[in-house]
Structures are given as structure tokens and as C-alpha cells.
Amino acid sequence: MDRRDHQRARGDRHPRRGRGLRGPYFQSHNADRHREAAQQLFAAGRAYYCDCTREQLKERTGSDHLGYDGFCRERELAFEEGRALRFRTPDEGETVVVDLIRGEPAFPNSAIEDFVIARGDGSPVFLIANVVDDLDEGITQVIRGEEHLSNTPKQQLLWEALGAKPPVWAHLPVIVNEKRQKLSKRRDKVALEDYLAEGFLPEAMVNYLMLLGWGPGDDREIMPYEELEQLFRIEDVNTAPAFFDVKKLTAFNGTIFARSRRSSSPTPARRGSSPRTRRGRRRRSTRTSSRWRPRWPRPDWRCCRRSPATWTSCSSTSRSRTRRRGTRR
């Protein structure tokens, strides 16, 4: 089943309107709302315009790696073409991020530069657009990769500046390949459809992906999804990178496939029963009875490897297991 069809089958709906399927939504369609939020921060004194170039910043700081020095904070510039809008970060204190996986990491506000929220042409950047979209959608929990942890204090400051309560964060560990490199769509096979096309069962993919960075706490690994859903707690997710092992995924797929074959196989008939013909008579079984015994001594195949014409068997009465030639009667 296609992922979009799966979402339609579940009946995902808009959290506010209460009806209608979710999406697809495009962030560019909400650009007016993003500009409105940026101007709201400027009117409240939480943002200011800046006309500094990279060359001027390098002359003042003497480095290409240092952040913005706040030169235009008190210049009170108005909007003009080419002037970027920067958010005014607090000078003191720290921003504490409540993370369900990593605890409560604290970021000193003095180490956070006055970052740009709107470009010189007035278009908002992704940072504020993401915050505004989540705020309008009523998002209360944000679950994403740990590479976004550095942007979290900036986004949390924007949430608070817009008068909203920040969501609860959860930054998952990255997934690495056999070379312990982060999985990349340009280098590695990361599309779910590719694995399904190769014959991997959806149950095996879900079971294995659930165990990346998390475990139920015992030695069990292959379980029904309903049981995994009951045992899963996001607070128990590890912070170390998760290794995507294709060999282990293949083993999962083989085990689940074998279990499905056994469960779907028909119930075997009772011993001694045989199918009936149209007239109701029993059809004679072509199977050899298990009580049939050959009239010549049965060969012991562990030590006798001659041709059928000169079968040789070991005597069952001799303790020394001496060879005795058996002849047909």
C-alpha cells in the first residue's frame, strides 16, 4: 500500500478544522503569514534591520567563523531593499530545551548570535517559517533528528517571542551505515519503496525500524506491532547512533516470512485418512505404508555405501558391527 493511501485509510484529519484530510501543504503558500510574524517581532522590538555585509563583518571581527557582533542593534534602521531582519537574542541567561531523550540541555544566550529571520528582499527564512507553521497547526511535540538540536534554542526563543508555549522536543539519534557514516540518500539506499520492491515484508521493515535506537528491555526482537506499540517509550530511546544492518534486516524478513507460511498453511489431514472419489469410495493411497519392511536386511547407510545390487548391511545382533553381505530372497 502506498504511503499516501495508508494515510487516507487511517483518516488523518486537520487538528483545528476537524474534517478534511491532512495535506499536502506547501510552506510557500503560507508566506504572508510568515511575513506577518516577522513584522510582529519587529514592532515589538524583538527584531531589527541590518545592512552589514560579510566583508564588513570580517573587517570588524577579523575572522570568517565568528557570528554576528550586533553592530546594528541600536541603529534603528527601517526596512529598505537589501536590509535583513535579525532577531534580537537575550544578552544574559540561558535557554533550556526540554528534550525527552537528552534531558534538559542548556544553551547560554551569549553564545547565540542575532540570527536572520527575513532576507534583504523581505522573504522569511525557514527558521521562522517552521515556527509559525507549527504554531498554527497546534504542534505540541517535535520529534526529529539530532542534527537539528543546534537550531532548537533559536526556535524556542521565537516561540516565546511570539507569545506561545514552546513544544516538547525529542531529538532522535542518527542512523549510520556499515562504515559508521550517516545514511545519505545520495550514497545509500534509504527509500522504503526500494526495500519493499526487493521482497522485504512490511511487517519485517516495521519491526526492524522500531528497534533502531530502542529496545523492549529483554532479549525479544521479533514481536507483533501491537505489542511493540505498547512497550515503546520515547524516553527509552538511546542517544548513540543506530546502525542500519541489512543482514539483520534480512534475517528478520526470513523469520517473519517463515512464521507467516506456517500460520497460513492448511491443517494437515488425520493420519490414515485419504481423499474420497466422486462415488464416495476411498481413493487408494499411493504412499508406502510405514509398517512395510523389506525382505532383505536393511542396510546401515552410515557404513555401507555399495551399489544396490550388492547391498551390505551391518548386523544388528553383532556388537562388533562386522559387515555381512545381505542377499535378496
Side-chain angles (χ1 to χ4, degrees):
M1 181 182 294
D2 190 81
R3 288 179 299 178
R4 291 170 295 181
D5 295 336
H6 182 59
Q7 292 177 355
R8 295 190 186 99
R10 292 185 307 173
D12 293 344
R13 300 184 179 275
H14 196 281
R16 287 192 176 183
R17 291 193 292 267
R19 57 182 178 179
L21 297 176
R22 293 183 59 89
Y25 297 128
F26 298 93
Q27 195 172 62
S28 58
H29 293 175
N30 205 22
D32 294 338
R33 176 72 178 91
H34 304 156
R35 295 189 183 94
E36 179 185 348
Q39 291 301 317
Q40 177 183 345
L41 295 177
F42 174 71
R46 301 301 303 271
Y48 60 92
Y49 283 100
C50 172
D51 59 357
C52 297
T53 61
R54 292 182 180 271
E55 292 75 15
Q56 295 173 349
L57 180 61
K58 183 178 179 181
E59 291 178 0
R60 293 196 300 265
T61 60
S63 175
D64 293 331
H65 307 289
L66 295 179
Y68 184 69
D69 56 355
F71 178 79
C72 296
R73 269 195 168 195
E74 308 301 331
R75 296 178 63 187
E76 299 182 356
L77 299 177
F79 170 73
E80 285 186 9
E81 187 72 22
R83 292 180 179 179
L85 184 63
R86 290 182 177 272
F87 180 80
R88 188 191 301 268
T89 59
D91 297 329
E92 300 177 353
E94 59 184 12
T95 300
V96 179
V97 176
V98 179
D99 196 300
L100 297 177
I101 299 175
R102 305 175 185 275
E104 297 183 357
F107 299 86
N109 292 330
S110 58
I112 305 175
E113 65 172 350
D114 292 350
F115 51 91
V116 176
I117 59 177
R119 303 179 182 90
D121 58 355
S123 61
V125 300
F126 170 76
L127 205 61
I128 189 172
N130 180 259
V131 171
V132 172
D133 291 341
D134 288 351
L135 197 154
D136 292 345
E137 291 290 334
I139 301 299
T140 58
Q141 292 183 344
V142 176
I143 304 176
R144 56 187 183 180
E146 66 175 344
E147 63 269 18
H148 298 284
L149 182 61
S150 59
N151 294 328
T152 306
K154 299 179 181 179
Q155 292 177 323
Q156 184 161 312
L157 289 173
L158 289 175
W159 275 80
E160 295 172 352
L162 292 173
K165 180 181 179 181
V168 177
W169 312 90
H171 290 86
L172 303 172
V174 297
I175 303 177
V176 297
N177 56 17
E178 64 276 0
K179 296 181 180 180
R180 297 305 185 269
Q181 299 174 343
K182 179 184 174 182
L183 287 183
S184 173
K185 61 182 179 181
R186 299 180 180 178
R187 181 183 60 248
D188 305 303
K189 184 172 59 177
V190 297
L192 179 62
E193 293 82 1
D194 294 341
Y195 289 95
L196 296 179
E198 292 183 1
F200 287 94
L201 299 176
E203 296 82 0
M205 292 297 302
V206 172
N207 197 151
Y208 181 72
L209 293 176
M210 284 282 291
L211 299 179
L212 288 179
W214 172 83
D218 48 22
D219 296 334
R220 296 180 301 166
E221 289 184 332
I222 300 179
M223 291 177 286
Y225 176 76
E226 293 74 16
E227 188 174 355
L228 288 170
E229 186 179 13
Q230 293 178 0
L231 295 175
F232 179 78
R233 294 179 66 254
I234 196 170
E235 293 83 1
D236 298 334
V237 176
N238 299 324
T239 58
F243 171 44
F244 188 84
D245 191 355
V246 181
K247 295 181 179 179
K248 190 171 183 179
L249 172 61
T250 305
F252 272 48
N253 190 69
T255 302
I256 295 177
F257 178 76
R259 290 183 179 180
S260 62
R261 286 288 300 273
R262 287 196 298 267
S263 61
S264 61
S265 59
T267 305
R270 293 181 301 175
R271 187 174 182 179
S273 63
S274 59
R276 295 179 179 271
T277 60
R278 289 184 178 180
R279 297 182 179 180
R281 295 177 297 180
R282 287 186 179 276
R283 188 185 304 169
R284 189 173 182 178
S285 177
T286 57
R287 282 180 139 186
T288 305
S289 174
S290 59
R291 295 185 179 183
W292 182 84
R293 294 290 185 272
R295 290 184 292 179
W296 59 86
R298 297 188 66 182
D300 188 348
W301 297 104
R302 290 174 297 182
C303 59
C304 309
R305 298 183 180 179
R306 298 189 179 184
S307 62
T310 57
W311 269 342
T312 302
S313 63
C314 296
S315 175
S316 60
T317 59
S318 174
R319 294 182 179 274
S320 61
R321 304 186 65 81
T322 58
R323 291 191 177 184
R324 179 182 300 176
R325 182 179 300 275
T327 57
R328 300 191 183 188
R329 298 180 182 178

